[in-house]
Amino acid sequence: MANRLEGKKIAILVEEGFEQVELTEPLKALKEAGAEAHIISPNKNSEIKAWNHTEWGDKFKVDKKLSDVNADTYDGLVLPGGVMNPDKLRTNKDAVSFVDKFMTSGKPVAAICHAPWTLIETGKVKGKKMTSYHTLKTDLKNAGADWVDQEVVVDQGLVTSRNPDDIPAFNKKMIEEFAEGRHSR
């Protein structure tokens, strides 16, 4: 995977309470593939705290504030899960607007675990084959998605996975889709 993403700029959008491994492992994979990746947050703090399975995890430096970035300058988007993170993002109009720009433009988006909650808010999951943490099944179906129970699902540049156990497959498909670039949706 080395240098497959050379010259690509990837946004990782998070709020406090993201699942730690769902940020650290995709970030590592992106960097190993040659991408420039930025941790972006609407949070006003310069650091945000992760959730690590059943307790608070490490703090991570925010590279860019959401208010200071433009989706047009990024080639792809990663949305880590955790319960608190997407729940906060989906109620933030600026975060939803940022995500919507990726969904509308056909730029690749990779969302794991509970992250599809934020995707639902864009109104752009109807007709998409997707997976997620099992508790989002009804939410995604109600939003018009075709939910399946698989470790990784790709639908025209949209990569989704269920949970941290799926990260190796998620990372592999994420890198492939980011390398391919825009998809027609």
Side-chain angles (χ1 to χ4, degrees), residues 63-137:
D63 297 314
K64 307 270 184 183
K65 301 283 185 211
L66 180 60
S67 59
D68 297 335
V69 298
N70 185 326
D72 294 338
T73 64
Y74 289 93
D75 300 298
L77 173 66
V78 177
L79 296 170
V83 175
M84 290 176 271
N85 170 51
D87 198 42
K88 289 177 183 179
L89 290 174
R90 71 183 176 153
T91 62
N92 181 309
K93 66 179 178 60
D94 295 328
V96 173
S97 176
F98 185 75
V99 173
D100 182 69
K101 289 176 182 166
F102 286 89
M103 294 297 287
T104 301
S105 70
K107 291 179 182 179
V109 174
I112 188 167
C113 196
H114 287 78
W117 263 344
T118 309
L119 296 174
I120 289 170
E121 291 302 314
T122 69
K124 305 249 178 352
V125 300
K126 187 174 183 174
K128 300 286 181 215
K129 184 177 179 184
M130 300 175 70
T131 195
S132 65
Y133 194 72
H134 66 91
T135 59
L136 274 66
K137 175 182 177 178

